[in-house]
Each structure stands twice: as C-alpha cells, then as structure tokens.
C-alpha cells in the first residue's frame, strides 16, 4: 500500500507541493513519522512540529505551504487526514461477509454486502441495510431495524428491554417493552454500548449519528441526525436530542427532556432540564484539586446556601 | 392479539366505561394511539392529552372517568398499563428453551423452564432457578447461583473476579476471589452489566431487585429486596444497600458503607458515607449552564473555602 | 484443599504462633470464619474483631501476636491474605486451554499455556504471551498484542476502533484507526471493558497494570506500569498516565493531557488538566445530601461567581 504524492493530491483534491513522484507507504503522526510516511499539521499553531519531523511528506494548511519541501496543501488538513486514513486502511477488521458462527434468525432480512462477525446474535424480524458491518459478540434483539452503511462494533447490545416497572402490592411489575429500536443510515456505534427498544414508541437513532464506546441509550430516546456522543454517555428514558449535537464523555441526561439542534455539551455533566438555545454548555464541579484543598472546598459546598444567606444579611447590615 | 374491552376489564380488574365489545389490538402511547389501540393517562394532570388522542380506548384514573367514551377506570393506571403490556407482549425475545449454541458446563444445575440464549456461557457448578431467562452472549462464572423467574439480558457478566490486590515488592499481588455471586428470585438485570463474585463473603442480590443496563456491582456488595438501580450505577466493594431503595442513573457508591431501607438517591451522585435515615437524597453539582457561566462559577468552587473565610472575617469586622 | 499452620507459615514466610499441626481448609473473613478457617486482621485498629471471631487461625501483625492462640504473624497481613488466597483458590474459572468454541484467526500467535474461553474472538495477527488467560465472550481485534501472564475477564473488547471523525460537508467522515493496542505483561483487565486501538500511534498499556470492570480507554492513551484503575473509569483519547498511579471508580480524563507517576485520584472526579506533582487529588462536588438541602445548595452553585463578586464589593465598602 504505497502512493505517490501526485496520486494522493488527486485522490484528496489537494494541491501538490514539491516532488510528486515522492512515494509514501504509511500515515503517521508528525512526531513519529519517518521518511516513508505522510503526516499532517492541522493549523499554523502547530508549525513548530514541522521543524523536527522526519516525515517524507506533510499535509498543511495554505498558511504553512512555504514551510514544507514535499506535501499537500489542504483547506482542511484534518479532513484530508481522514481521507488519507481510508487510503491507508488495510480493510475490515474481521473478514467481510457473514461469519458461519454468527447466529441469525431465519426471518431476519439482511441487505447486500452486510458483514456479521462471529458469535453475533441477530433476532427474529431484524432488518439490516446494505453495507452495514457488525462486529463480534454483539446482540441484536428481535425487531431491530438498522439502516445502510452502519458500523456496529463488538459486544454491543441493540434493542434489549428498557427499564420499566410499575409498583405492585408485592414488588415491581415489569412493563413489557413493545417498541422497537430503529437506527438510520451511516450510523457508527462503538463497543460495549446498550441501546434499548422502546416501551411503546420506538427508540430512534437518526442518520449519521456517531456513538463512542459504552454509551447507554434508554427506551424511547430520539437522537437527531449527525449527533455525536463520546464514551460512557447515558440517556435516561425519553430523552430527545436534536441534530448536530455533540456530547462529551460520561455526560448524563435525566430523561423526559429535550435538547435542541446544535448544542454542544461538555464532559461529565448532568443535563436535568431541556436546552432550547443552541450553543456550548458545561456542567459538573470542575476539575480535580489536591485532596486537602478539595476537602476544604467540598465541605463549603454543603454550606453554600447558608453562606449566601449570611452574605445577604451582611449586605443588609452594612450597605443600608 | 386482540382483546375486547370487557375482556381487558376482567383481566386487569378494572371498571369498564362505554362499549365492552370495542376491540383493540395494540397498546400505544396517548399521542400516537389510533382507533385500534388502547392507551392510558396516569393522572388528572395529563387530562389535556385525552382531547387530541385518537385512541380507541383509554385507561384513566377515576377522576377522569367522565372524560372518556370507551375505556377502563383503574385505581393505578400505570400499574394497569404494566398489566396490559404483558397481554400485548408477543413473548420471549429469543426462543424459549436452551439454545444449542449456549455453552453450559455439564455440572451446572438448571431448573425447569429455564431459557438460555445463544452463545451464553454458564460455568461449572452454577445453579439456576425455575423459569429464569438468560439473554445471548452473557457470561456466568462458575459457582454463581441465580434464583427463580429472573430475567438476565444480553452481554452481562455475572460472578467474575472482584478487583482485589495487595501491594507486593514488585507490583500488585492478585487476591483470588473465593466468594460467590448469589442472586435471589424475580431479579431483572439489564444488558452490559458486571456483577462480581465475592472476595471471601458472597456478593448477594436480594429478591425482586431490578438493575438497568451497564450497572457495576463490585465484590462483597449486598443489595436488599426490591431495590432498583438505573443505568450505569456503580457500587464499589462491600457496599451494603437496603431494601426498597431506588438509585438514579450514573450514581456511584465508594464502598464499605451501608444505605438503609427506603432511601431514594438521585442521578449522578457519589455516595461516600453511610445513609441511616430513609428519604430522598441528591448529589453532584447541579445541571449544565452556558459554558461561560459555568467556567465563572466552577473557578469559584476552587476558592470556596477562601470565600467562606473572607465572609467570616467580614462578619467579625462589621457585626461586632 | 487443607493445610496445617506449619505448612502455611512456610509457604507465606510468616511466623507460626500456637500449634503448627492445626489444620484449616478455608480462608474466610474474620466475622464469618469458623474453626476450619484461617482469617486475617490487617492492623491493630481491628483487634476488636479477634475477640468474637471463631476462626481456627488468624494472620495478624506483630503488634497482635499475643492476642491469638493459633495463627501466623506477618509484616503485612493483607499481603499474606493475598498469598493465602492463591493457596485456597480451586483454580481457573473456566477450563485451562483453548476452548474449541473460541474463534481464533489462523495467523494469531498464541504462546504456551494460553487459555481462551468459549466464544472469545481473536482477530488476525494478534499476538498473545505465555500463560495469559482470556475469559468468555471477549473480542480481540486484529493486530492486538497482549503480553505474558495477563488475565482478561469476560465480555471485554480489546483493540476496537477509536472514536475519530472529521467534519465533512455532509456529516462526519470516519478517521480509520490504523494504530494498534499493545498490552504489557502481568496485566489484569476486568469484565465489560473497552480498550481502543490507536488512531495512528498505538494505545499502550504498561506492565502490571490493573483495570477493574467497565473501564474505557480511548485511542492513543498510554498507561504506565503498575497503574490501577477502579470500575467505570474512562480515558478520552490521548490521555497519558504515569506509573504507580491509582484512580478511583467512575473518574474521567478529558484527553490530551498527562498525569505524572505516583498520583492518586479519588472517585467520580474529572481530570481536565495535566497533573505534574505526585500526591493525592480529589474532584467532584462531594457526597449526597438530603434532597431539599442539596437543591438549596446547588442553586447557589449557579450563583457562585455572583456571590463572590458581592463579597468582594462588601469587603471594599466595609474594610477600607
């Protein structure tokens, strides 16, 4: 797998700098690249790295075009890096096609070019779109619908029961989960995720949604197109997330609330109310501190309302 | 699967309103129900939804009996909804019985009517009670005991090693985990959970306990009867939780502490000390804010003790 | 499996107290031990437990040597407990060797004494060192390298794709993940973990690292030797953790930061900046409170910057 720079310029629609016959056989980070590698620098702020890099060729923004001997000029070097990564990818992690050790219900409908790796279980009535690739040891409950060109990693569970119980006289009465899980096209779902079927209405994952590992989506959630969620995010039941939303890792949603389009939420926050205005949001208590400092401050958090009332009393006494 | 209202009134011990020969074939939410559906409204506060619903029949509390044409009056419409969900459930998600692709140790003891789905691994000496259903790709370590009528979803791990190490001169020395995991009757455990065996004393899950997806229970924990935990809750080693406790999603317990019966803890909290008084508890730093607001406030959290001391000094200067 | 105290003193290099011919057949906690058991007390502070214990023998520190009739004196009773746990361990949880239902690529290289349990999938080009034991239903992506004497529990995913996308005109463009996951010797990884392969540079797990259940390690992370992380910890991409670090459960790292050696971080914190000084660190907002108290305090957190400014204004007015 090796390419000349003139080929790469053509394949990525970028501008060639230097000798187009220079050949590279690997894609590498700027710090570890050697003469056989192509690498990239995303912005002028990282220009310093060019000086010490041994990369044979580098993708740069136009502001850095004069700083390289051989390489490509791109209006978005990070996007060009993504395109190059496909060219240098040796291919599917597990063999294409249906592994004979996959367990697929006889009435499941799999479109053309679907790949299902070993030990994956696909239940009755599932529908899986063209070109979708499913990793090993994944479980897909009956009735789940998955669109085309999706990528589902390993050990993920799609369409299992939501968590629903009513109080009975003698413990909990299970609410049977009668809805489905419906996933759009071009969706990527990481490893170790759990996406539940709906209680009554379906759980719906839009087109182009990207979920990292260990994401949990409860019953009846709706996630809009192109929304991306980092690792360990959890959505309680009935959370409705708009399109083009991004969510940082470990953030939770308490359920039965909605988030509008184009909202960007940081890591480790808890969303307890609907968000109706696009923009950036953060939550949580901030980063770590030396243990002794944290203990002193955390104790005050428990007194915060009392402190605020004391401040108010003092203002009234002193500023009248 | 269709029922007349007179049948449903009998099966759910509710009072019939309107024409008992009206037939419904689906259970649906009030907003999406059509004329073939039965739906429900849990309280007077939701009466508005009745006006626009196209449901053929509705379960309502007695206060709303006069607002419907056909339906059922229940003293607890949510419980009646749970009962109806069982009537409209097409059945087990995977075929009943022992899937031939399950891997079951020859000396494991499975009672009658146990279902084990494909690729589930059940180790030596496991004991599984009558009517328990186990989903695909689940792993049950040797010696684990599971009661009757439990429901274990997919890709869950029961009875794996707890996390125990002693410091040696040259790194960590593993503490072998010699206890078991013992699970009561009528327990439901979601997908992607991990419940560890005990180090010495068993990990014990009481009767009627309900655990959502991705819950983690460390070695030596004890969870009391009918306690319910939402998704991604984590219990560190030796946590003892009482009966009839509810825990919101993503909440953690730091271990070697106890929580008494009838405690209700919110989402995304960290329980660091024993709770000895029943009631509702919350933790964490509150919801999300606009990023700029959050940054301003979070920086003050790091100064909180200093702020409190300044307030105290000011009180002494001004209020003497 | 029974031992005389004289044997146990020799095997654990401890000092015998009392009758060396006393025989014990189980290891138990001090509260539940009976006359056939050996138990342990880690420090003088726990001496009280000796009075009521029915243990046949006890491991104690030298300060408690005079308090026991039969037992062992150790300079580190907890380490001796770890050593005893190995002596009383009935052995591997699943049969040693390669289970015929494991799915192993023909070109994967497995050293001697490797155990692979049922339904585990090992991809092309994987290399697994001597004596490593891998639990059921685990997925190991192609190209992953695992050292010698590792213990990988069940339903864990090693080497799946990292979460990398560039913005395209029409949604996200996947960045193919071309690096590997490389794991050292003597590593233990719990159940339900997800460790991603690198985007370009490898994800690297050092020797003697211990990860509890449901830990998530994103692409390009590096974890130093002997570092231990409790359940549900998550590392975003490019996090570099030093050696001999400990991390409490549910703590997150926002990525592209580094933590030096010998740092100890508490539970449920979010590390957002590099830590360059060894020591103990904590984060989060503290423990839970009665719900009404928490609501009052949490609302003030949202006003914290305003409160601090009011305090400053008051100081200027009153203390000039």
């Amino acid at each position: 797998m090796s390419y000349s720079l003139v080929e790469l310029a053509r394949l990525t629609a970028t501008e060639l700098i230097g000798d187009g016959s220079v050949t590279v056989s690997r894609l590498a980070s700027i710090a570890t690249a050697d003469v056989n590698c192509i690498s990239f620098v995303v912005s002028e702020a990282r220009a310093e790295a060019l000086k010490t890099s041994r990369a044979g060729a580098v993708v740069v923004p136009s502001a850095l075009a004069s700083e390289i001997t051989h390489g490509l000029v791109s209006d978005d070097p990070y996007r060009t890096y993504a395109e190059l990564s496909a060219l240098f990818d040796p291919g599917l992690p597990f063999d294409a096609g249906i592994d004979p050790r996959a367990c697929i219900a006889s009435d499941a409908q799999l479109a053309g070019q679907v790949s299902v790796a070993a030990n994956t279980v696909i239940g009755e009535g599932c529908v899986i779109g063209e070109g979708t690739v499913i990793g090993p040891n994944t479980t897909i409950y009956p009735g789940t619908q998955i669109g085309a060109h999706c990528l589902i990693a390993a050990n993920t569970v799609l369409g299992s029961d939501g968590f629903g119980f009513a109080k009975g006289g003698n413990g909990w009465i299970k609410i049977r989960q009668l809805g489905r899980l419906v996933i759009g096209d071009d969706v990527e779902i990481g490893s170790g995720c759990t996406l539940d079927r709906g209680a009554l209405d379906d759980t719906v994952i839009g087109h182009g949604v990207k979920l990292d590992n260990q994401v949990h989506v409860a019953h009846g959630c709706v996630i809009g197109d192109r929304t991306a969620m980092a690792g360990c995010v959890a959505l309680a039941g009935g959370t409705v997330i708009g399109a083009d939303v991004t969510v940082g890792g470990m953030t939770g949603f308490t359920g039965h609330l909605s988030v509008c389009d184009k909202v960007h939420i940081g890591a480790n926050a808890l969303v307890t109310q609907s968000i109706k205005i696009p923009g950036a949001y953060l939550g949580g208590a901030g980063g770590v501190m030396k243990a002794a400092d944290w203990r002193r401050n955390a104790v005050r958090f428990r007194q915060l309302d009392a402190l605020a009332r004391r401040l108010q009393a003092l203002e009234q006494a002193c500023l009248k």
Side-chain angles (χ1 to χ4, degrees), chain A:
Chain A
M1 199 178 301
S2 88
Y3 301 91
S4 69
L5 290 186
V6 72
E7 282 179 290
L8 291 179
R10 180 176 56 77
L11 289 165
T12 63
T14 52
E15 182 195 345
L16 173 68
I17 300 278
D19 180 357
S21 71
V22 164
T23 292
V24 289
S25 57
R26 277 198 315 127
L27 178 63
S29 65
I30 194 75
T32 64
D34 64 31
V35 70
N36 300 307
C37 298
I38 185 165
S39 188
F40 65 99
V41 168
V42 292
S43 73
E44 232 178 316
R46 300 290 181 89
E48 195 65 23
L50 286 172
K51 294 190 181 149
T52 52
S53 179
R54 300 185 308 159
V58 187
V59 183
V60 293
S62 57
L64 295 177
S66 62
E67 304 293 318
I68 60 172
T69 311
H70 307 296
L72 307 172
V73 173
S74 166
D75 59 346
D76 182 350
Y78 198 68
R79 192 199 63 230
T80 302
Y81 155 49
E83 292 166 359
L84 290 173
S85 76
L87 297 174
F88 286 95
D89 187 357
L92 275 184
F94 293 96
D95 285 346
I98 310 296
D99 191 288
R101 294 156 300 195
C103 307
I104 303 178
S106 56
D107 69 349
Q109 299 173 45
L110 277 58
Q113 328 278 175
V114 166
S115 287
V116 183
N119 297 343
T120 278
V121 176
I122 299 180
E124 292 176 18
C126 288
V127 178
I128 300 180
E130 189 174 321
T132 283
V133 174
I134 302 171
N137 286 317
T138 277
T139 300
I140 305 180
Y141 275 75
T144 299
Q145 301 211 354
I146 304 177
H149 306 297
C150 293
L151 196 48
I152 316 292
N155 291 63
T156 270
V157 181
L158 301 179
S160 57
D161 275 3
F163 192 64
F165 301 91
K167 279 197 176 162
N170 198 10
W172 299 100
I173 302 173
K174 179 175 176 67
I175 296 171
R176 308 298 176 96
Q177 303 292 302
L178 308 177
R180 298 170 305 168
L181 170 65
V182 178
I183 297 174
D185 300 330
D186 300 310
V187 170
E188 180 162 344
I189 299 176
S191 296
C193 291
T194 56
L195 282 69
D196 284 343
R197 64 195 311 107
L200 291 172
D201 299 330
D202 297 333
T203 304
V204 179
I205 310 297
H207 299 304
V209 167
K210 310 295 176 187
L211 305 181
D212 197 354
N213 297 343
Q214 296 195 36
V215 169
H216 166 57
V217 179
H219 52 185
C221 292
V222 176
I223 301 181
D225 295 349
R226 296 173 304 281
T227 283
M229 299 187 177
C232 306
V233 163
L235 279 64
T239 302
V240 177
I241 306 278
D244 299 306
V245 170
T246 59
V247 182
M250 293 183 137
T251 281
F253 296 80
T254 56
H256 300 290
L257 56 80
S258 64
V259 173
C260 69
D261 296 350
K262 300 189 180 168
V263 166
H264 307 288
I265 305 171
N268 211 27
L270 182 69
V271 181
T272 58
Q273 292 189 304
S274 291
I275 298 179
K276 296 171 180 176
I277 301 170
Y281 292 82
L282 292 169
V288 296
M289 288 164 256
K290 283 275 193 182
D293 292 340
W294 182 85
R295 282 195 192 97
R296 270 194 293 269
N297 288 317
V299 116
R300 298 298 189 181
F301 181 80
R302 304 175 84 88
Q303 308 162 348
L304 200 46
D305 184 55
L307 290 172
R309 288 173 190 279
R310 280 164 54 193
L311 175 60
Q312 193 174 15
L314 201 56
E315 285 171 332
Q316 284 168 356
C318 299
L319 300 180
K320 59 193 165 198

